[in-house]
Amino acid sequence: MSDTAATAPLAGMRIVEVSSFVAVPLAGMTLGQLGAEVVRVDPIGGAADYHRWPLTEGGESIYWASLNKGKRSVAVDFRDPDAQALIADLVVEAGVLVTNVAGRDWLDFAALAARRPDLVHVQLVGRADGGTAVDYTVNAATGFPLASGPVDVAGPVNHLLPAWDVSAGLYVALAVLAAVHRRNTTGAGARIVVPLEDVALATIGNLGYLAEAQLGGAGRERIGTAVYGTFGTDVVTSDGVRFMLVALTPRHFRDLTELTGCTAAVAAVEAALGVDFRDEGTRFRHREVLSGLIRAWFREHTAAEAAAALAASSVLHERYRTFAEVAADPKVTANPMFARLDQPRIGPHLAPGLPMSVDGRHHTPRPAPANGDDTAAVLAEHLGLDAARIAELHSRGAVRVAAPTEVTGPA
Amino acid sequence: MSDTAATAPLAGMRIVEVSSFVAVPLAGMTLGQLGAEVVRVDPIGGAADYHRWPLTEGGESIYWASLNKGKRSVAVDFRDPDAQALIADLVVEAGVLVTNVAGRDWLDFAALAARRPDLVHVQLVGRADGGTAVDYTVNAATGFPLASGPVDVAGPVNHLLPAWDVSAGLYVALAVLAAVHRRNTTGAGARIVVPLEDVALATIGNLGYLAEAQLGGAGRERIGTAVYGTFGTDVVTSDGVRFMLVALTPRHFRDLTELTGCTAAVAAVEAALGVDFRDEGTRFRHREVLSGLIRAWFREHTAAEAAAALAASSVLHERYRTFAEVAADPKVTANPMFARLDQPRIGPHLAPGLPMSVDGRHHTPRPAPANGDDTAAVLAEHLGLDAARIAELHSRGAVRVAAPTEVTGPA
């Protein structure tokens, strides 16, 4: 069952987004998936992210379409004073702004809040001190690239997933809802600033890495595919398929040694070393010998045999997949979170809704707009501009009203 | 300036958390940092995460303390029917439950909602089909481990950051606020289920990986520290320090070639190949030759020289740091998001608040409780139990009231 506008949690909420790249677009899209109406305002022709890779053969951004599903698009000339005033009007009318744009007077909190004191203004910045930063630079300072990856690698191992952008986008969405909650309770507006770098630093603090280092911990060495403080390992089958295995509990681990026929060998090692593998820290300390014993069984069994044996056990496990494999897997194709999306300019594909069900229902993904698709409709509906005024603004280039012949390229 | 209870966005909201590991504890802590009162209810002696690594020399979990800051702790015997009823009473009284516990009748939505129809019940599960999963197994199926890491690595490269747990925790927090918003508007409760696996699948969809694969994209090869679709590279200085550099715009890239004295060489390559490096995709396609030209300058300059030159440019950059280095860095020690926290059992350290400022103020971190620290106070304040009843429950082991001599170990 899919959601309806009436029952969506944020039905009736209106949000203006002036953004680019990952974090704020994800924030806006997520609030839209929860039921808000999200108007993304961009420069005519699109912001810096409008042509970001991956692209279709026709040069359209799969990336942009994926991160801006279900929004309305207004395109204006950011240098035109009338257009700047229109953006401000839209923000004042909606009452909520999410943005990662800095240095634009007409988007500043003070100017907008002077017109609407209960404005919720949430801004993502690179660093709290105003410096610029992106996920891939922020990540370098977190400690993760020097502790991730195979044990024999010397240099940094960056993440491919822009994990800080994703987290920051979710914090921005959370900031909006927290501030709207307070506004509904007290009438107060809010100015909230979310620094991307602070999202990363808070997270490494929340996971204990910073306290561990401050309290004199030994530091973290590379551990490959092991899982710190418990037992995890990758294994490869006789037909070359890889699985990730995790044994968090004594039962998981007992099942794993039985499955792989090494219970007696593990017990012999345990006795000889005078240790107790029911303790997860002890399993971690002795991960190399334990992984060695366990991997041997997988090398002599096929992926099908391994999958069947693992499925019959309590062992936490998953087969490693490429992006292409997961895209074609029942995890996607038979998952009610995904629905066929006829995305203009990109093509039909299975697109995800929100990763949660609300009262048993999933959000149904809606297409991303093209730049300026909704300029005329939004200016009319939200600001009451008449057709003649919109046509005048369009004709002198202050705004761009999309027409069928105009939707695919920059002006 | 720090926050106060009165101005915190979620002041007055009360949440019961029955959880373990990362995602739901992070959700509860985050809602607490936004001003909610969060009561974590655990088995006597702590849940499965209470002794998770990293540990202090005394065996206390730095990890647990870091993910449970500012909560109240109630400890009860989950097998005792009276204790189960008390947990249900606490949930009904608070009106919001966040949990990753499954298979407990007394925490099921139906039973609780029968007593409080406007209950907000948010449950994290491993998979939508009820299967179990953890971050490190979910990640295997996402495609990232087979596309991350150095170009010459053959096997999977797992992330060390539990990125899916962190994202899932933030989605859980978001689900709570969205559902509370709807409840405040319509009076309706909500049952929300957030599958960890779906968080990962939605994210790879939102970032375009699944559509790219479905639409016949070429697949993703390992690209090391490069940044897909634009220009990024790591470099190493003459004194062995590594930096991450990103040039998103033509200006960034021009500054980078000028800084490294390779503008003429880059222009010569550009002319010879008949390409235009102002296009970021073109910079990505030719990343190896461009990285080669740029890295040469860094090999002949110290980290201090490189840092000064980069700081004077528009180039996005960051020095790679270990966890120990960032813990001692002004990014942490001079950051108003961090404050000294006198954490019982663990020791004083700089702990993060919420990665956002609200009206210019930062949340001040508060200590994590020990198991059962607040049992007596919460049962009295929230449920009106008198001292004799609490003492009786404690004496027969249905609940555990912490006393100074009891707070450090399991019962």
Side-chain angles (χ1 to χ4, degrees), chain A residues 7 67 69 127 137 140 143 158 182 191-193 197-198 206 214 318 320-321 323 331 335 350 356-357 359, chain B residues 7 67 69 127 137 140 142-143 158 182 191 193 197-198 206 214 318 320-321 331 335 350 356-357 359:
Chain A
T7 59
L67 273 169
K69 297 187 293 283
R127 295 180 175 144
T137 57
N158 289 4
R182 187 175 68 174
R191 182 191 184 192
I192 300 184
V193 179
E197 183 177 78
D198 281 359
N206 292 340
Q214 292 175 46
E318 187 55 273
Y320 282 97
R321 289 170 175 80
F323 292 117
K331 283 181 188 300
N335 186 330
L350 288 172
M356 60 183 76
S357 59
D359 305 328
Chain B
T7 60
L67 272 168
K69 297 188 293 284
R127 296 179 175 146
T137 58
T142 60
N158 289 4
R182 186 176 68 174
R191 182 192 183 190
V193 179
E197 184 178 79
D198 281 0
N206 292 340
Q214 292 175 47
E318 187 56 273
Y320 282 97
R321 289 172 176 79
K331 282 181 188 302
N335 187 332
L350 287 172
M356 61 182 75
S357 59
D359 306 328

Tab-separated table of all heavy atoms in Angstrom, chain A residues 7 67 69 127 137 140 143 158 182 191-193 197-198 206 214 318 320-321 323 331 335 350 356-357 359, chain B residues 7 67 69 127 137 140 142-143 158 182 191 193 197-198 206 214 318 320-321 331 335 350 356-357 359:
chain	number	residue	atom	x	y	z
A	7	THR	N	-2.442	11.426	4.531
A	7	THR	CA	-1.964	10.745	5.725
A	7	THR	C	-0.467	10.913	5.953
A	7	THR	O	0.040	10.491	6.981
A	7	THR	CB	-2.267	9.235	5.652
A	7	THR	OG1	-1.617	8.705	4.497
A	7	THR	CG2	-3.756	8.972	5.580
A	67	LEU	N	18.509	12.403	-6.413
A	67	LEU	CA	18.522	13.152	-5.159
A	67	LEU	C	17.469	14.253	-5.100
A	67	LEU	O	17.420	15.010	-4.117
A	67	LEU	CB	19.907	13.772	-4.925
A	67	LEU	CG	20.899	12.867	-4.211
A	67	LEU	CD1	22.299	13.462	-4.281
A	67	LEU	CD2	20.495	12.643	-2.760
A	69	LYS	N	14.064	13.753	-6.279
A	69	LYS	CA	12.767	13.175	-6.600
A	69	LYS	C	11.652	13.899	-5.836
A	69	LYS	O	11.785	14.187	-4.641
A	69	LYS	CB	12.740	11.691	-6.227
A	69	LYS	CG	13.712	10.826	-6.990
A	69	LYS	CD	13.528	9.327	-6.707
A	69	LYS	CE	13.857	8.883	-5.310
A	69	LYS	NZ	15.309	8.778	-5.035
A	127	ARG	N	32.512	24.228	7.388
A	127	ARG	CA	33.102	24.227	8.722
A	127	ARG	C	32.423	25.285	9.568
A	127	ARG	O	31.964	26.304	9.049
A	127	ARG	CB	34.591	24.573	8.655
A	127	ARG	CG	35.398	23.541	7.926
A	127	ARG	CD	36.872	23.951	7.890
A	127	ARG	NE	37.630	22.875	7.278
A	127	ARG	CZ	38.684	23.040	6.491
A	127	ARG	NH1	39.134	24.250	6.228
A	127	ARG	NH2	39.297	22.001	5.983
A	137	THR	N	37.094	15.926	1.767
A	137	THR	CA	38.149	16.565	2.568
A	137	THR	C	37.864	16.358	4.059
A	137	THR	O	38.767	16.038	4.821
A	137	THR	CB	38.281	18.068	2.247
A	137	THR	OG1	37.043	18.752	2.462
A	137	THR	CG2	38.709	18.267	0.795
A	140	ALA	N	39.084	13.061	5.414
A	140	ALA	CA	40.524	12.868	5.613
A	140	ALA	C	40.933	13.102	7.065
A	140	ALA	O	41.829	12.428	7.582
A	140	ALA	CB	41.309	13.798	4.685
A	143	GLY	N	40.202	10.353	10.751
A	143	GLY	CA	40.900	9.168	11.232
A	143	GLY	C	40.529	7.913	10.466
A	143	GLY	O	41.327	6.970	10.393
A	158	ASN	N	40.029	6.041	1.275
A	158	ASN	CA	38.838	6.895	1.373
A	158	ASN	C	37.578	6.063	1.249
A	158	ASN	O	37.574	5.033	0.574
A	158	ASN	CB	38.831	7.931	0.249
A	158	ASN	CG	39.894	9.001	0.419
A	158	ASN	OD1	40.702	8.950	1.334
A	158	ASN	ND2	39.885	9.963	-0.473
A	182	ARG	N	9.238	23.155	17.887
A	182	ARG	CA	9.321	24.256	18.859
A	182	ARG	C	8.435	25.425	18.418
A	182	ARG	O	7.771	26.054	19.243
A	182	ARG	CB	10.771	24.715	19.040
A	182	ARG	CG	10.903	25.747	20.165
A	182	ARG	CD	12.329	26.130	20.452
A	182	ARG	NE	12.932	26.882	19.349
A	182	ARG	CZ	14.129	27.441	19.396
A	182	ARG	NH1	14.884	27.304	20.476
A	182	ARG	NH2	14.612	28.103	18.370
A	191	ARG	N	17.291	29.784	14.008
A	191	ARG	CA	18.399	29.772	13.068
A	191	ARG	C	19.307	28.620	13.449
A	191	ARG	O	19.910	28.616	14.526
A	191	ARG	CB	19.188	31.063	13.136
A	191	ARG	CG	20.292	31.029	12.120
A	191	ARG	CD	21.309	32.125	12.243
A	191	ARG	NE	22.231	31.985	11.112
A	191	ARG	CZ	23.364	32.614	10.998
A	191	ARG	NH1	23.734	33.473	11.907
A	191	ARG	NH2	24.144	32.383	9.951
A	192	ILE	N	19.410	27.646	12.561
A	192	ILE	CA	20.210	26.459	12.856
A	192	ILE	C	21.309	26.333	11.817
A	192	ILE	O	21.057	26.435	10.613
A	192	ILE	CB	19.320	25.196	12.887
A	192	ILE	CG1	18.245	25.359	13.986
A	192	ILE	CG2	20.159	23.939	13.086
A	192	ILE	CD1	17.363	24.155	14.192
A	193	VAL	N	22.525	26.135	12.299
A	193	VAL	CA	23.681	25.957	11.412
A	193	VAL	C	24.263	24.567	11.643
A	193	VAL	O	24.559	24.197	12.787
A	193	VAL	CB	24.751	27.038	11.667
A	193	VAL	CG1	25.966	26.816	10.756
A	193	VAL	CG2	24.168	28.432	11.445
A	197	GLU	N	31.719	19.413	8.806
A	197	GLU	CA	32.861	18.903	9.573
A	197	GLU	C	32.433	18.482	10.981
A	197	GLU	O	32.910	17.465	11.501
A	197	GLU	CB	33.955	19.964	9.663
A	197	GLU	CG	35.196	19.484	10.379
A	197	GLU	CD	36.289	20.534	10.386
A	197	GLU	OE1	36.227	21.486	11.195
A	197	GLU	OE2	37.224	20.418	9.567
A	198	ASP	N	31.535	19.255	11.592
A	198	ASP	CA	31.083	18.910	12.946
A	198	ASP	C	30.240	17.635	12.947
A	198	ASP	O	30.233	16.904	13.947
A	198	ASP	CB	30.310	20.072	13.572
A	198	ASP	CG	31.239	21.160	14.105
A	198	ASP	OD1	32.473	21.001	13.997
A	198	ASP	OD2	30.729	22.175	14.627
A	206	ASN	N	30.757	10.242	19.087
A	206	ASN	CA	29.646	9.398	19.542
A	206	ASN	C	29.990	7.918	19.477
A	206	ASN	O	29.433	7.118	20.238
A	206	ASN	CB	28.398	9.667	18.703
A	206	ASN	CG	27.832	11.056	18.936
A	206	ASN	OD1	28.114	11.687	19.961
A	206	ASN	ND2	27.059	11.543	17.984
A	214	GLN	N	41.739	10.110	23.657
A	214	GLN	CA	42.055	11.040	24.754
A	214	GLN	C	42.405	10.303	26.041
A	214	GLN	O	43.193	10.788	26.849
A	214	GLN	CB	40.866	11.963	25.028
A	214	GLN	CG	40.567	12.957	23.916
A	214	GLN	CD	39.303	13.748	24.208
A	214	GLN	OE1	39.100	14.246	25.306
A	214	GLN	NE2	38.432	13.848	23.218
A	318	GLU	N	26.117	-12.176	4.736
A	318	GLU	CA	25.629	-11.535	3.515
A	318	GLU	C	26.646	-11.785	2.405
A	318	GLU	O	27.850	-11.826	2.648
A	318	GLU	CB	25.455	-10.021	3.733
A	318	GLU	CG	24.791	-9.291	2.591
A	318	GLU	CD	23.431	-9.877	2.212
A	318	GLU	OE1	23.416	-10.820	1.388
A	318	GLU	OE2	22.408	-9.399	2.741
A	320	TYR	N	28.660	-10.632	-0.778
A	320	TYR	CA	29.127	-9.396	-1.405
A	320	TYR	C	28.563	-9.302	-2.811
A	320	TYR	O	28.558	-10.296	-3.555
A	320	TYR	CB	30.661	-9.358	-1.464
A	320	TYR	CG	31.302	-9.005	-0.142
A	320	TYR	CD1	31.776	-9.998	0.710
A	320	TYR	CD2	31.437	-7.683	0.252
A	320	TYR	CE1	32.364	-9.677	1.928
A	320	TYR	CE2	32.031	-7.351	1.462
A	320	TYR	CZ	32.491	-8.346	2.290
A	320	TYR	OH	33.075	-8.026	3.486
A	321	ARG	N	28.073	-8.124	-3.158
A	321	ARG	CA	27.496	-7.892	-4.479
A	321	ARG	C	28.098	-6.636	-5.093
A	321	ARG	O	28.464	-5.704	-4.364
A	321	ARG	CB	25.979	-7.693	-4.372
A	321	ARG	CG	25.178	-8.933	-4.031
A	321	ARG	CD	23.744	-8.547	-3.715
A	321	ARG	NE	22.871	-9.698	-3.483
A	321	ARG	CZ	22.794	-10.377	-2.355
A	321	ARG	NH1	23.558	-10.048	-1.332
A	321	ARG	NH2	21.970	-11.397	-2.235
A	323	PHE	N	27.352	-3.245	-7.514
A	323	PHE	CA	26.168	-2.383	-7.672
A	323	PHE	C	25.203	-2.989	-8.698
A	323	PHE	O	23.986	-2.961	-8.510
A	323	PHE	CB	26.575	-0.976	-8.115
A	323	PHE	CG	27.317	-0.203	-7.067
A	323	PHE	CD1	28.633	0.209	-7.276
A	323	PHE	CD2	26.705	0.125	-5.865
A	323	PHE	CE1	29.310	0.940	-6.313
A	323	PHE	CE2	27.384	0.849	-4.892
A	323	PHE	CZ	28.693	1.258	-5.116
A	331	LYS	N	16.368	-8.160	-3.521
A	331	LYS	CA	16.426	-7.129	-2.478
A	331	LYS	C	15.887	-5.797	-2.995
A	331	LYS	O	15.370	-4.985	-2.227
A	331	LYS	CB	17.872	-6.893	-2.036
A	331	LYS	CG	18.443	-7.935	-1.127
A	331	LYS	CD	19.872	-7.544	-0.767
A	331	LYS	CE	20.566	-8.658	0.000
A	331	LYS	NZ	19.898	-8.991	1.259
A	335	ASN	N	11.270	-5.612	-3.526
A	335	ASN	CA	11.203	-4.836	-2.287
A	335	ASN	C	10.106	-3.776	-2.413
A	335	ASN	O	10.141	-2.944	-3.322
A	335	ASN	CB	12.571	-4.162	-2.076
A	335	ASN	CG	12.683	-3.448	-0.745
A	335	ASN	OD1	11.703	-2.961	-0.194
A	335	ASN	ND2	13.894	-3.369	-0.240
A	350	LEU	N	13.622	1.305	-11.278
A	350	LEU	CA	13.095	1.102	-9.931
A	350	LEU	C	13.779	2.094	-9.003
A	350	LEU	O	15.002	2.070	-8.850
A	350	LEU	CB	13.360	-0.330	-9.457
A	350	LEU	CG	12.511	-1.404	-10.130
A	350	LEU	CD1	13.018	-2.781	-9.722
A	350	LEU	CD2	11.039	-1.237	-9.744
A	356	MET	N	11.420	3.529	5.304
A	356	MET	CA	10.604	3.191	6.468
A	356	MET	C	9.166	3.019	5.978
A	356	MET	O	8.766	3.626	4.987
A	356	MET	CB	10.655	4.289	7.535
A	356	MET	CG	10.160	5.645	7.080
A	356	MET	SD	10.316	6.943	8.362
A	356	MET	CE	12.072	7.297	8.327
A	357	SER	N	8.427	2.177	6.689
A	357	SER	CA	6.994	2.101	6.442
A	357	SER	C	6.296	2.834	7.573
A	357	SER	O	6.706	2.763	8.729
A	357	SER	CB	6.531	0.651	6.359
A	357	SER	OG	6.819	-0.028	7.564
A	359	ASP	N	2.685	3.121	9.292
A	359	ASP	CA	1.392	2.431	9.381
A	359	ASP	C	1.259	1.401	8.261
A	359	ASP	O	0.191	1.242	7.657
A	359	ASP	CB	0.237	3.442	9.323
A	359	ASP	CG	0.379	4.531	10.392
A	359	ASP	OD1	0.911	4.225	11.480
A	359	ASP	OD2	-0.028	5.671	10.139
B	7	THR	N	14.745	26.303	26.324
B	7	THR	CA	14.767	26.717	24.920
B	7	THR	C	15.056	25.571	23.967
B	7	THR	O	14.972	25.750	22.754
B	7	THR	CB	15.819	27.813	24.694
B	7	THR	OG1	17.100	27.285	25.047
B	7	THR	CG2	15.519	29.054	25.504
B	67	LEU	N	27.617	6.672	23.304
B	67	LEU	CA	26.359	6.617	22.561
B	67	LEU	C	25.130	6.762	23.450
B	67	LEU	O	24.004	6.661	22.955
B	67	LEU	CB	26.259	5.286	21.801
B	67	LEU	CG	26.893	5.300	20.413
B	67	LEU	CD1	26.999	3.882	19.869
B	67	LEU	CD2	26.108	6.182	19.454
B	69	LYS	N	24.944	9.249	26.112
B	69	LYS	CA	25.098	10.464	26.917
B	69	LYS	C	23.726	11.108	27.168
B	69	LYS	O	22.893	11.209	26.269
B	69	LYS	CB	25.989	11.479	26.183
B	69	LYS	CG	27.415	11.015	25.955
B	69	LYS	CD	28.323	12.120	25.392
B	69	LYS	CE	28.004	12.573	23.984
B	69	LYS	NZ	28.436	11.649	22.929
B	127	ARG	N	16.083	-6.482	8.482
B	127	ARG	CA	15.542	-6.509	7.129
B	127	ARG	C	14.030	-6.362	7.194
B	127	ARG	O	13.401	-6.800	8.159
B	127	ARG	CB	15.850	-7.837	6.446
B	127	ARG	CG	17.314	-8.067	6.258
B	127	ARG	CD	17.559	-9.415	5.586
B	127	ARG	NE	18.974	-9.545	5.318
B	127	ARG	CZ	19.662	-10.669	5.348
B	127	ARG	NH1	19.055	-11.810	5.617
B	127	ARG	NH2	20.957	-10.672	5.092
B	137	THR	N	27.068	-6.747	7.700
B	137	THR	CA	26.516	-7.655	6.688
B	137	THR	C	25.731	-6.869	5.641
B	137	THR	O	25.874	-7.111	4.443
B	137	THR	CB	25.632	-8.755	7.320
B	137	THR	OG1	24.556	-8.168	8.069
B	137	THR	CG2	26.445	-9.641	8.245
B	140	ALA	N	27.872	-5.427	2.891
B	140	ALA	CA	28.429	-6.329	1.870
B	140	ALA	C	27.590	-6.324	0.602
B	140	ALA	O	28.115	-6.430	-0.512
B	140	ALA	CB	28.534	-7.755	2.439
B	142	THR	N	25.749	-3.872	-0.583
B	142	THR	CA	25.465	-2.557	-1.172
B	142	THR	C	26.238	-2.265	-2.447
B	142	THR	O	25.903	-1.338	-3.170
B	142	THR	CB	25.828	-1.413	-0.199
B	142	THR	OG1	27.236	-1.493	0.093
B	142	THR	CG2	25.002	-1.482	1.057
B	143	GLY	N	27.312	-3.011	-2.664
B	143	GLY	CA	28.183	-2.688	-3.789
B	143	GLY	C	29.414	-1.909	-3.390
B	143	GLY	O	30.444	-1.965	-4.069
B	158	ASN	N	35.758	-3.285	3.392
B	158	ASN	CA	34.645	-2.861	4.247
B	158	ASN	C	34.888	-1.465	4.795
B	158	ASN	O	36.035	-1.056	4.974
B	158	ASN	CB	34.501	-3.814	5.438
B	158	ASN	CG	33.982	-5.175	5.040
B	158	ASN	OD1	33.790	-5.467	3.858
B	158	ASN	ND2	33.760	-6.011	6.028
B	182	ARG	N	2.661	14.778	13.123
B	182	ARG	CA	1.330	14.377	12.670
B	182	ARG	C	0.384	14.207	13.861
B	182	ARG	O	-0.785	14.597	13.797
B	182	ARG	CB	1.399	13.086	11.854
B	182	ARG	CG	0.047	12.722	11.235
B	182	ARG	CD	0.110	11.505	10.338
B	182	ARG	NE	0.371	10.279	11.087
B	182	ARG	CZ	0.348	9.065	10.535
B	182	ARG	NH1	0.119	8.916	9.237
B	182	ARG	NH2	0.601	8.001	11.278
B	191	ARG	N	2.761	3.658	13.655
B	191	ARG	CA	3.692	2.551	13.748
B	191	ARG	C	4.658	2.654	12.584
B	191	ARG	O	4.272	2.524	11.420
B	191	ARG	CB	2.965	1.215	13.662
B	191	ARG	CG	3.954	0.089	13.817
B	191	ARG	CD	3.439	-1.272	13.481
B	191	ARG	NE	4.510	-2.223	13.770
B	191	ARG	CZ	4.494	-3.484	13.438
B	191	ARG	NH1	3.447	-3.986	12.823
B	191	ARG	NH2	5.512	-4.265	13.722
B	193	VAL	N	8.326	1.357	10.898
B	193	VAL	CA	9.369	0.337	10.878
B	193	VAL	C	10.477	0.795	9.932
B	193	VAL	O	10.217	1.123	8.775
B	193	VAL	CB	8.803	-1.020	10.412
B	193	VAL	CG1	9.915	-2.076	10.366
B	193	VAL	CG2	7.673	-1.476	11.347
B	197	GLU	N	18.583	-2.627	6.359
B	197	GLU	CA	18.941	-2.938	4.971
B	197	GLU	C	18.315	-1.940	4.002
B	197	GLU	O	18.950	-1.529	3.020
B	197	GLU	CB	18.498	-4.362	4.615
B	197	GLU	CG	18.914	-4.791	3.229
B	197	GLU	CD	18.498	-6.225	2.936
B	197	GLU	OE1	17.321	-6.481	2.627
B	197	GLU	OE2	19.370	-7.108	3.031
B	198	ASP	N	17.081	-1.534	4.274
B	198	ASP	CA	16.426	-0.574	3.380
B	198	ASP	C	17.075	0.807	3.454
B	198	ASP	O	17.070	1.552	2.461
B	198	ASP	CB	14.928	-0.484	3.698
B	198	ASP	CG	14.141	-1.653	3.098
B	198	ASP	OD1	14.763	-2.518	2.432
B	198	ASP	OD2	12.915	-1.704	3.299
B	206	ASN	N	19.342	6.671	-3.826
B	206	ASN	CA	19.325	8.138	-3.817
B	206	ASN	C	20.593	8.732	-4.422
B	206	ASN	O	20.563	9.835	-4.951
B	206	ASN	CB	19.156	8.652	-2.384
B	206	ASN	CG	17.788	8.333	-1.806
B	206	ASN	OD1	16.837	8.072	-2.549
B	206	ASN	ND2	17.688	8.330	-0.491
B	214	GLN	N	20.806	-0.048	-13.535
B	214	GLN	CA	19.613	-0.491	-14.269
B	214	GLN	C	19.566	0.071	-15.684
B	214	GLN	O	19.029	-0.545	-16.595
B	214	GLN	CB	18.343	-0.055	-13.521
B	214	GLN	CG	18.128	-0.762	-12.197
B	214	GLN	CD	16.909	-0.189	-11.457
B	214	GLN	OE1	15.858	-0.017	-12.025
B	214	GLN	NE2	17.085	0.112	-10.186
B	318	GLU	N	42.469	18.916	2.902
B	318	GLU	CA	42.500	18.525	4.308
B	318	GLU	C	43.673	17.571	4.518
B	318	GLU	O	43.983	16.752	3.647
B	318	GLU	CB	41.183	17.843	4.711
B	318	GLU	CG	41.032	17.549	6.194
B	318	GLU	CD	41.198	18.785	7.061
B	318	GLU	OE1	42.355	19.100	7.420
B	318	GLU	OE2	40.170	19.427	7.358
B	320	TYR	N	45.321	14.409	6.182
B	320	TYR	CA	44.913	13.143	6.792
B	320	TYR	C	45.433	13.085	8.221
B	320	TYR	O	46.585	13.436	8.485
B	320	TYR	CB	45.462	11.951	5.997
B	320	TYR	CG	44.686	11.663	4.730
B	320	TYR	CD1	45.114	12.151	3.500
B	320	TYR	CD2	43.524	10.906	4.766
B	320	TYR	CE1	44.404	11.893	2.332
B	320	TYR	CE2	42.809	10.633	3.614
B	320	TYR	CZ	43.249	11.122	2.401
B	320	TYR	OH	42.539	10.862	1.259
B	321	ARG	N	44.565	12.637	9.109
B	321	ARG	CA	44.928	12.530	10.527
B	321	ARG	C	44.533	11.155	11.049
B	321	ARG	O	43.562	10.569	10.580
B	321	ARG	CB	44.180	13.581	11.350
B	321	ARG	CG	44.640	15.014	11.141
B	321	ARG	CD	43.688	15.957	11.871
B	321	ARG	NE	44.101	17.353	11.811
B	321	ARG	CZ	43.919	18.162	10.775
B	321	ARG	NH1	43.345	17.715	9.681
B	321	ARG	NH2	44.317	19.421	10.811
B	331	LYS	N	40.585	21.314	15.943
B	331	LYS	CA	39.252	20.974	15.430
B	331	LYS	C	38.360	20.431	16.547
B	331	LYS	O	37.140	20.573	16.502
B	331	LYS	CB	39.350	19.879	14.356
B	331	LYS	CG	39.801	20.347	13.006
B	331	LYS	CD	39.825	19.158	12.047
B	331	LYS	CE	40.467	19.520	10.722
B	331	LYS	NZ	39.808	20.640	10.029
B	335	ASN	N	36.868	23.606	19.595
B	335	ASN	CA	35.568	23.577	18.929
B	335	ASN	C	34.449	23.737	19.960
B	335	ASN	O	34.350	22.943	20.899
B	335	ASN	CB	35.437	22.220	18.206
B	335	ASN	CG	34.208	22.122	17.345
B	335	ASN	OD1	33.187	22.759	17.614
B	335	ASN	ND2	34.292	21.322	16.304
B	350	LEU	N	36.899	15.368	26.369
B	350	LEU	CA	36.108	16.298	25.567
B	350	LEU	C	35.099	15.496	24.771
B	350	LEU	O	35.466	14.643	23.965
B	350	LEU	CB	37.013	17.083	24.614
B	350	LEU	CG	37.881	18.140	25.281
B	350	LEU	CD1	38.875	18.700	24.263
B	350	LEU	CD2	37.028	19.259	25.867
B	356	MET	N	25.155	20.820	15.528
B	356	MET	CA	24.454	21.992	14.990
B	356	MET	C	24.345	23.012	16.105
B	356	MET	O	24.313	22.651	17.284
B	356	MET	CB	23.055	21.625	14.479
B	356	MET	CG	22.113	21.068	15.511
B	356	MET	SD	20.486	20.585	14.837
B	356	MET	CE	20.874	19.055	13.976
B	357	SER	N	24.315	24.281	15.725
B	357	SER	CA	23.999	25.320	16.705
B	357	SER	C	22.569	25.762	16.448
B	357	SER	O	22.130	25.858	15.302
B	357	SER	CB	24.969	26.499	16.585
B	357	SER	OG	24.909	27.072	15.292
B	359	ASP	N	20.091	28.827	17.238
B	359	ASP	CA	20.101	30.221	17.687
B	359	ASP	C	21.456	30.574	18.304
B	359	ASP	O	21.536	31.279	19.308
B	359	ASP	CB	18.965	30.474	18.693
B	359	ASP	CG	17.609	30.057	18.141
B	359	ASP	OD1	17.414	30.153	16.901
B	359	ASP	OD2	16.759	29.599	18.920
